[in-house]
Coordinates of all heavy atoms in Angstrom, one line a residue:
F140 N 13.7 15.6 33.4 CA 15.0 15.8 32.7 C 16.1 16.3 33.7 O 15.8 17.2 34.5 CB 14.7 16.9 31.6 CG 16.0 17.2 30.8 CD1 16.7 16.3 30.1 CD2 16.4 18.6 30.8 CE1 17.8 16.7 29.4 CE2 17.5 18.9 30.1 CZ 18.2 18.0 29.4
G141 N 17.3 15.8 33.5 CA 18.4 16.2 34.5 C 18.8 17.6 34.4 O 19.5 18.1 35.3
G142 N 18.5 18.3 33.3 CA 18.9 19.7 33.2 C 18.0 20.7 34.0 O 18.2 21.9 34.0
E168 N 28.0 16.2 32.4 CA 28.0 17.1 31.3 C 29.5 17.4 30.9 O 30.3 17.3 31.8 CB 27.3 18.4 31.7 CG 25.8 18.3 31.7 CD 25.2 18.1 30.4 OE1 25.3 19.0 29.5 OE2 24.7 17.0 30.1
R171 N 31.9 19.0 33.5 CA 31.5 19.1 34.9 C 30.6 17.9 35.3 O 29.9 17.3 34.4 CB 30.7 20.4 35.1 CG 29.3 20.5 34.6 CD 28.8 21.9 34.7 NE 27.8 22.0 33.7 CZ 26.5 21.9 33.9 NH1 26.0 21.8 35.1 NH2 25.6 22.0 32.9
V173 N 27.3 16.7 37.2 CA 26.0 17.3 37.7 C 25.6 16.4 38.9 O 25.2 15.3 38.7 CB 24.9 17.3 36.6 CG1 23.6 17.9 37.1 CG2 25.4 18.0 35.3
Y175 N 23.3 15.0 41.1 CA 21.8 14.9 41.1 C 21.3 14.8 42.6 O 20.2 15.2 42.9 CB 21.4 13.6 40.4 CG 21.2 13.7 38.9 CD1 22.2 14.3 38.1 CD2 20.1 13.2 38.3 CE1 22.1 14.3 36.8 CE2 19.9 13.3 36.9 CZ 20.9 13.8 36.2 OH 20.8 13.9 34.8
A279 N 19.1 10.1 19.3 CA 20.1 10.9 20.1 C 19.3 12.0 20.8 O 19.4 13.2 20.4 CB 21.2 11.4 19.2
S280 N 18.6 11.7 21.8 CA 17.9 12.6 22.6 C 18.1 12.3 24.1 O 19.2 11.8 24.4 CB 16.4 12.6 22.2 OG 15.6 13.4 23.0
D281 N 17.2 12.5 24.9 CA 17.4 12.3 26.3 C 16.1 11.6 26.8 O 15.0 12.0 26.4 CB 17.7 13.6 27.1 CG 18.0 13.3 28.5 OD1 17.2 12.9 29.4 OD2 19.2 13.5 28.9
W284 N 12.9 13.7 27.7 CA 12.0 14.4 26.7 C 11.1 13.3 26.1 O 11.4 12.1 26.1 CB 12.8 15.1 25.6 CG 13.8 16.0 26.1 CD1 15.1 16.0 26.0 CD2 13.5 17.2 26.9 NE1 15.7 17.1 26.6 CE2 14.8 17.8 27.1 CE3 12.4 17.9 27.3 CZ2 14.9 19.0 27.9 CZ3 12.5 19.0 28.1 CH2 13.7 19.6 28.3
V286 N 10.8 12.5 23.0 CA 11.5 11.7 22.0 C 12.2 10.5 22.7 O 12.2 9.4 22.1 CB 12.5 12.6 21.2 CG1 13.4 11.7 20.3 CG2 11.8 13.6 20.4
K308 N 27.4 14.2 23.7 CA 26.9 15.3 22.9 C 27.3 15.1 21.4 O 28.2 14.3 21.1 CB 27.5 16.7 23.4 CG 27.3 17.0 24.8 CD 26.0 17.7 25.0 CE 25.6 17.8 26.5 NZ 24.4 18.5 26.8
P309 N 26.7 15.9 20.5 CA 27.2 15.8 19.1 C 28.6 16.3 18.9 O 29.3 15.9 18.0 CB 26.1 16.6 18.3 CG 25.3 17.4 19.3 CD 25.6 16.8 20.7
A333 N 17.7 16.1 16.8 CA 17.1 17.4 16.5 C 18.1 18.2 15.6 O 19.3 18.0 15.6 CB 17.0 18.2 17.9
T335 N 19.3 21.0 15.7 CA 20.4 21.7 16.4 C 21.6 20.9 16.6 O 22.7 21.4 16.5 CB 19.8 22.2 17.8 OG1 20.8 23.1 18.4 CG2 19.5 21.1 18.7
A336 N 21.5 19.6 16.7 CA 22.7 18.7 16.9 C 23.5 18.7 15.6 O 24.7 18.8 15.6 CB 22.2 17.3 17.2
A339 N 25.2 22.0 15.2 CA 26.4 22.0 16.1 C 27.6 21.3 15.4 O 28.7 21.8 15.4 CB 26.1 21.4 17.4
A364 N 13.6 16.0 14.2 CA 12.4 16.6 14.8 C 12.7 17.4 16.0 O 13.9 17.4 16.4 CB 11.3 15.5 15.1
A501 N 17.3 24.8 21.4 CA 18.1 23.5 21.2 C 17.2 22.3 21.2 O 17.6 21.3 21.8 CB 19.3 23.4 22.2
G502 N 16.0 22.4 20.6 CA 15.1 21.3 20.6 C 14.4 21.1 22.0 O 13.6 20.2 22.1
H503 N 14.6 22.0 22.9 CA 14.0 21.9 24.2 C 12.9 22.9 24.3 O 13.1 24.1 24.0 CB 15.0 22.1 25.4 CG 16.2 21.3 25.3 ND1 16.3 20.0 25.0 CD2 17.5 21.7 25.5 CE1 17.5 19.6 25.0 NE2 18.3 20.6 25.3
K533 N 21.0 27.2 18.2 CA 20.0 26.6 19.1 C 18.6 26.8 18.5 O 17.6 26.4 19.2 CB 20.1 27.0 20.5 CG 21.4 26.5 21.1 CD 21.4 26.7 22.6 CE 22.7 26.2 23.2 NZ 22.7 26.2 24.7
R563 N 19.0 30.2 36.4 CA 19.8 28.9 36.4 C 19.5 28.1 37.6 O 19.4 26.9 37.6 CB 21.2 29.3 36.3 CG 22.1 28.1 35.9 CD 23.6 28.5 35.7 NE 24.4 27.4 35.6 CZ 24.7 26.7 34.5 NH1 24.3 27.2 33.3 NH2 25.5 25.7 34.5
P568 N 20.0 24.8 34.1 CA 20.9 25.2 33.0 C 20.2 25.1 31.7 O 20.5 25.8 30.7 CB 22.1 24.3 33.1 CG 21.7 23.2 34.0 CD 20.6 23.7 34.9
V569 N 19.3 24.2 31.6 CA 18.6 23.9 30.3 C 17.9 25.1 29.7 O 17.7 25.3 28.5 CB 17.7 22.7 30.4 CG1 16.5 23.0 31.2 CG2 17.3 22.2 29.0
A571 N 19.1 27.9 29.4 CA 20.1 28.7 28.6 C 19.7 30.2 28.6 O 19.8 30.9 27.5 CB 20.1 28.1 27.1
R573 N 20.8 33.6 29.3 CA 22.1 34.3 29.6 C 22.0 35.7 29.3 O 22.9 36.5 29.7 CB 23.2 33.7 28.7 CG 23.6 32.2 29.1 CD 25.1 32.0 28.8 NE 25.4 30.7 29.3 CZ 25.4 29.5 28.6 NH1 25.1 29.6 27.4 NH2 25.8 28.4 29.2
Ligands
COA1 N1 21.7 17.5 32.9 C1 22.3 18.6 33.4 N2 22.6 19.7 32.6 C2 22.3 19.6 31.3 C3 21.7 18.5 30.7 C4 21.4 17.4 31.6 N3 20.9 16.3 31.1 N4 21.5 18.7 29.4 C5 22.0 20.0 29.2 N5 22.4 20.5 30.3 C6 23.0 21.8 30.5 C7 24.2 22.0 29.6 O1 25.4 21.4 30.2 C8 24.3 23.5 29.5 O2 24.9 23.9 30.7 P1 25.9 25.2 30.7 O3 25.0 26.4 30.7 O4 26.6 25.0 32.0 O5 26.8 25.1 29.5 C9 22.9 23.9 29.5 O6 22.1 22.8 30.1 C10 22.3 24.2 28.1 O7 22.3 23.0 27.4 P2 22.0 22.9 25.8 O8 21.0 23.9 25.5 O9 21.8 21.5 25.4 O10 23.4 23.4 25.2 P3 24.8 22.8 25.0 O11 25.7 23.9 24.7 O12 25.2 22.0 26.2 O13 24.7 21.8 23.8 C11 23.8 21.1 21.7 C12 24.1 22.3 22.5 C13 23.2 21.6 20.4 C14 25.0 20.3 21.4 C15 22.8 20.3 22.5 O14 21.7 21.1 22.8 C16 22.3 19.1 21.8 O15 22.9 18.1 21.6 N6 21.0 19.1 21.4 C17 20.4 17.9 20.8 C18 19.0 18.1 20.8 C19 18.3 17.3 21.7 O16 18.7 16.5 22.5 N7 17.0 17.5 21.7 C20 16.0 16.9 22.5 C21 14.7 16.8 21.8 S1 14.8 15.8 20.3

Side-chain angles (χ1 to χ4, degrees):
F140 177 62
E168 283 295 291
R171 76 189 156 100
V173 182
Y175 277 48
S280 177
D281 188 288
W284 306 118
V286 172
K308 302 272 173 180
T335 188
H503 310 318
K533 295 193 178 185
R563 194 174 170 91
V569 69
R573 292 211 172 95

